[in-house]
């Protein structure tokens, strides 16, 4: 990390210095042979002949005001990076000392250590040395919260459509614009910039935890966003020049060497944020998306236009003919290369042929978008409902391209970012200032030993579950509190599978065990006599073993509700299993070792060995040899990845089954679901809607109606409960965000009344106009009368 930052400083100096040198110190007439150069010893022109004298070069720089301005701005920025580098050196030294002295890991061992091993050592160190003084034991969730505090907020804001990144343009239609520059400004405004919402790296400012002055805070935030937008607008020319120069120096050689690289695709920045689970580290996310890259590329290549293919074939033919003649002449006599523009023509023709080939599909390619989209879903875990069954449509392809874009589009967006970012900040983000203030107040919880974190990252089904994602009857969340697209449920399953030693609360444990048992029972086709709470670790692995060896055991998947839907679910899991077998790298490695049973025996032996010590088998990388330890870790890691893929497919099938009989609440196609309400069968229409689904909508501001002198009693009870009672884990919180009247759980006689909330950005019903002028509510008269929406979690 230290070496990388050193080269970043050198790289900045090189780009600025080299650009100024090319613009002011080179005589291009000599370089292009437009000016005759007198030589006393030789008539050959050398490269130093094209360089201007030092005095002439310095005079040209001094007389250019724009160059002076760029040099000043670049110097200030470089000094800022230098001071940051010096500060990071101290931090890196502390990290190094912590790994060596506390975790007992040398620098030579660190590159080959797994994250699970490092995390297990941190948990053990906390028990012995109490590195966190606020609590006795650290959980895996506490560690993730410390690392991903701000990223969890960003994932939640994207999930709730709070950030202005989706736009409807006149020609392009619906378009997503989310670049590194825009993301940098979002984080600068919310988290760590001057005047941000957080006073330090772990605590939200106290004024943002109360609702009485929300309008004043919203106006203050809007003013700050305006000034930052103006600063971006003033620095736009300098940043734009830097972006162009950096892109030119970075991608020119790559384009010359591999012209087809611009036609390759990559996961967009918005796609990484939309597809990210709560509490998912960067390497876990990239590993998951990398596994779905091949299937995603094949899916996007299915939609090549036949007309474009014909044009590309003919253009490639003509360009290839000219290139063949030039190459033949060059082979016959190399003096042909001395002719003007011959070498340039050969290069351009080669680039043209490579680009045309990218539009010509493979003649052996089979058009199977539905199967490919299901394989993609097995890895990315998130997908709008209306994509399933419509994978062959260009609308689905265009929406998926927002997550999986061309590399050329990514570069172009980054080049346009200095121009577009100020516009988004000034005209789009500023209008959402009140919703942002409400979001941070309503969805921030204080976790003892961790600090303020996003409540969505607690992955509490009761507080943020969605009834359409297997949480019906288990959640008390209103529409405002529900995470969209099953984010809470899928994130919970991913975290539980990735960290099997994590001990969640009782309700969460029951949800996880029940889902695992249901997947295992319906996949094997046999009823299970095991209680959901006593499900062993070997049962999910046996399901994965069946998936890797063959789909025969999945043929008997059944559902109790509808036989016709059971066939679709079984086919979906069958396709997912076969796809995972074809894409899974561990399948081939296990085949080379002889059989899957051998790996099972090795994994089972390791699991049994570590069961007594309470250590996760995936954290162990030792064995009879280092190679066997790494192989065991690879096998178990692949098991966890495949297990999560199967659970994601299963949860999507259940959600699809439930959505067929109910009105869908998906944010991507809300209007379509409302228009299709007339087609709901009478049997479904006549069924009563559960109380947990009948949520009103009003202001985003919750109110309380306490009895006289009850607030201090409630606050003291809350404090004593948070500090005195032992909780199973940090997730069991004392939050009360659900709508409707509620009795105070501490017996103080306080009745908590929650008014319904306005849906956040993009959720408004058709015909409902967003009001910019904020009308104060009667309960906002005094700030001290409003209880803070920050609750301690122990």
């Amino acid at each position: 990390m230290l070496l990388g930052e050193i080269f970043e400083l050198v790289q900045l100096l090189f780009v600025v210095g080299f650009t100024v040198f090319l613009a002011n110190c080179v005589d291009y007439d000599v370089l292009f042979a437009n000016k005759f150069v007198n030589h006393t010893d030789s008539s050959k022109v050398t490269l130093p002949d094209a360089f201007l004298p030092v005095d002439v070069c310095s005079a040209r720089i001094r007389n250019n005001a724009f160059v002076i301005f760029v040099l000043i701005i670049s110097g200030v920025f470089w000094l800022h990076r230098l001071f940051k580098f010096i500060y990071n050196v101290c931090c890196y030294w502390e990290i190094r000392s912590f790994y060596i002295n506390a975790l007992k890991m040398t620098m030579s061992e660190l590159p080959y250590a797994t994250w699970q091993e490092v995390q297990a050592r941190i948990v053990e160190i906390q028990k012995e040395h109490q590195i966190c003084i606020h609590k006795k034991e650290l959980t895996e969730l506490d560690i993730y919260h410390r690392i991903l505090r701000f990223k969890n907020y960003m994932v939640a804001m994207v999930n709730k459509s709070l950030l202005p990144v989706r736009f409807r343009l006149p020609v392009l239609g619906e378009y997503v614009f989310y670049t590194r520059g825009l993301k940098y400004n979002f984080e600068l405004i919310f988290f760590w910039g001057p005047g941000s919402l957080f006073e330090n790296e772990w605590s939200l400012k106290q004024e943002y935890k109360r609702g009485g002055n929300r309008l004043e805070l919203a106006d203050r935030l809007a003013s700050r966003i305006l000034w930052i937008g103006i600063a971006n607008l003033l620095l736009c020319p300098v940043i734009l020049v830097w972006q162009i120069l950096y892109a030119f120096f970075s991608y020119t050689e790559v384009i010359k060497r591999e012209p087809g690289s611009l036609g390759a695709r990559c996961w967009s920045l918005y796609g990484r944020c939309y597809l990210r689970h709560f509490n998912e580290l960067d390497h876990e996310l990239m590993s998951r998306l990398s596994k779905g890259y091949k299937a995603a590329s094949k899916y996007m290549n299915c939609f090549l236009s036949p007309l474009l293919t014909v044009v590309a074939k003919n253009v490639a033919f003509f360009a290839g003919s000219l290139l063949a003649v030039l190459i033949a002449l060059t082979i016959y006599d190399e003096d042909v290369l001395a002719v003007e523009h011959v070498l340039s023509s050969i290069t351009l023709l080669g680039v043209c042929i490579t680009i045309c080939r990218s539009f010509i599909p493979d003649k052996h390619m089979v058009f199977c978008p539905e199967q490919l989209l299901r394989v993609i879903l097995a890895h990315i875990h998130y997908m709008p409902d209306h994509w399933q069954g419509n994978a062959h449509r260009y609308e689905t392809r265009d929406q998926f391209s927002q997550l999986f874009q061309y590399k050329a589009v990514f570069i172009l967006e980054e080049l346009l970012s200095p121009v577009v970012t100020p516009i988004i900040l000034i005209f789009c983000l500023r209008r959402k200032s009140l919703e942002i203030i409400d979001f941070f107040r309503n969805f921030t919880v204080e976790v003892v030993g961790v600090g303020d974190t996003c409540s969505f990252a607690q992955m509490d089904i009761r507080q943020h579950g969605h009834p359409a994602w297997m949480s019906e009857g288990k959640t008390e969340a209103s529409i405002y509190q529900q995470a969209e697209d099953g984010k809470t449920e899928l994130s919970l399953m991913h975290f539980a599978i990735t960290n099997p030693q994590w001990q969640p609360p009782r309700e969460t444990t029951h949800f996880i065990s029940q889902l695992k048992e249901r997947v295992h029972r319906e996949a094997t086709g046999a009823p299970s006599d095991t209680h959901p709470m006593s499900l062993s670790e070997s049962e999910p692995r046996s399901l994965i073993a069946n998936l890797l060896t063959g789909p025969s055991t999945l043929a008997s998947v059944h559902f109790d509700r509808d036989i016709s839907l059971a066939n679709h679910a079984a086919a979906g899991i069958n396709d997912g299993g076969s796809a995972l077998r074809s894409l899974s790298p561990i399948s081939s490695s296990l085949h080379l070792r002889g059989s899957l049973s051998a790996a099972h025996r090795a994994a089972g032996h390791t699991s049994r060995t570590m069961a007594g010590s309470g250590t996760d088998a995936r954290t162990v990388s030792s064995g009879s040899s280092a190679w066997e330890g790494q192989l065991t870790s690879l096998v178990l890691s692949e098991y966890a990845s495949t297990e999560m893929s199967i659970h994601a497919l299963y949860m999507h099938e259940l959600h699809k089954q439930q959505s067929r009989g109910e009105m869908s609440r998906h944010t991507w196609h809300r209007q379509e679901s409302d228009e299709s309400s007339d087609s709901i069968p009478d049997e479904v229409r006549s069924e009563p809607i559960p109380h947990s689904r009948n949520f009103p909508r009003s202001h985003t501001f919750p109110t309380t109606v306490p009895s006289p002198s009850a607030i201090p009693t409630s606050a003291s009870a809350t404090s004593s409960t948070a500090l005195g009672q032992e909780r199973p884990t940090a997730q069991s919180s004392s939050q009360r965000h659900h709508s409707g009247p509620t009795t105070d759980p501490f017996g103080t006689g306080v009745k908590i009344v929650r008014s319904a909330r306005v849906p956040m950005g993009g959720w408004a019903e058709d015909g409902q106009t967003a009001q910019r002028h904020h009308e104060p509510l009667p309960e906002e008269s005094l700030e001290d009368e409003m209880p803070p929406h920050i609750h301690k979690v122990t």
Side-chain angles (χ1 to χ4, degrees), residues 554-574:
L554 298 177
S556 57
V557 175
H558 64 281
F559 289 89
D560 298 332
R561 290 188 179 183
D562 193 348
I563 300 300
S564 62
L565 295 178
N567 296 329
H568 294 285
I573 301 181
N574 269 322

Side-chain angles (χ1 to χ4, degrees), residues 213-359:
N213 58 342
R214 57 195 286 267
L215 300 181
E216 177 185 351
L217 294 175
D219 292 336
R220 189 190 308 173
L221 179 62
S223 176
R224 182 167 175 269
I225 294 174
L226 176 62
W227 285 110
I228 292 180
I230 293 176
N232 276 269
L233 193 62
L234 295 177
L235 295 176
C236 174
V238 179
I239 301 176
L240 181 61
V241 171
W242 165 259
Q243 292 280 58
I244 295 174
L245 293 175
Y246 187 82
F248 175 77
F249 292 140
S250 301
Y251 298 110
T252 301
E253 188 273 334
V254 177
I255 295 174
K256 179 183 180 298
R257 178 168 41 88
E258 299 177 3
S261 60
L262 293 179
R265 291 186 175 269
C266 62
W267 295 102
S268 66
L269 193 62
Y270 171 78
R272 297 177 188 179
C273 195
Y274 172 79
L275 299 175
R276 188 171 196 153
H277 293 295
F278 293 123
N279 303 310
E280 184 175 20
L281 297 173
D282 292 342
H283 74 274
E284 296 172 347
L285 172 67
M286 295 312 301
S287 175
R288 183 163 58 87
L289 296 182
S290 298
K291 293 177 182 178
Y293 181 86
K294 182 188 293 185
S297 298
K298 289 183 178 179
Y299 174 76
M300 297 302 293
N301 292 335
C302 289
F303 292 89
L304 293 178
S305 171
L307 180 62
L308 188 60
T309 300
V310 173
V311 174
K313 286 182 178 179
N314 286 274
V315 172
F317 171 77
F318 295 128
S321 301
L322 296 176
L323 181 61
V325 172
L326 292 178
I327 292 176
L329 292 176
T330 303
I331 295 175
Y332 178 76
D333 190 352
E334 61 180 9
D335 292 336
V336 176
L337 294 175
V339 179
E340 188 177 10
H341 300 313
V342 169
L343 187 59
S344 302
S345 300
I346 293 176
T347 303
L348 292 177
L349 289 173
V351 171
C352 179
I353 294 173
T354 305
I355 294 176
C356 290
R357 286 178 179 175
S358 63
F359 294 101

Side-chain angles (χ1 to χ4, degrees), residues 177-209:
F177 187 86
Y178 189 50
T179 61
R180 289 180 292 187
L182 185 60
K183 177 175 176 289
Y184 177 86
N185 279 273
F186 285 159
E187 295 176 350
L188 177 70
I189 293 170
F190 299 146
F191 304 124
W192 53 266
S196 63
L197 279 63
F198 280 75
E199 59 183 352
N200 47 48
E201 294 182 356
W202 61 86
S203 178
L204 187 70
K205 292 181 179 177
Q206 292 296 324
E207 56 188 354
Y208 293 99
K209 300 180 181 181

Side-chain angles (χ1 to χ4, degrees), residues 382 461 464-467 469-471 475 483 485-494 511 515 644 651:
Y382 294 100
I461 299 297
H464 297 296
H466 199 293
W469 288 88
M470 302 184 65
S471 298
T475 180
D485 305 315
K487 180 74 77 172
T488 301
E489 292 79 6
L490 287 168
S491 298
L492 176 61
M493 288 305 304
H494 178 267
F511 175 84
L515 178 58
M644 182 58 208
M651 294 175 70

Side-chain angles (χ1 to χ4, degrees), residues 54 78 205 275 328 421 503 626:
V54 177
W78 190 85
K205 292 181 179 177
L275 299 175
T421 295
Q503 298 296 330

Side-chain angles (χ1 to χ4, degrees), residues 94-110:
E94 293 180 359
I95 294 173
R96 182 179 183 274
S97 301
F98 177 77
Y99 272 91
I100 295 177
N101 301 324
L103 301 184
K104 307 300 181 182
M105 299 180 66
T106 63
M107 293 297 101
S108 59
E109 297 174 352
L110 187 59

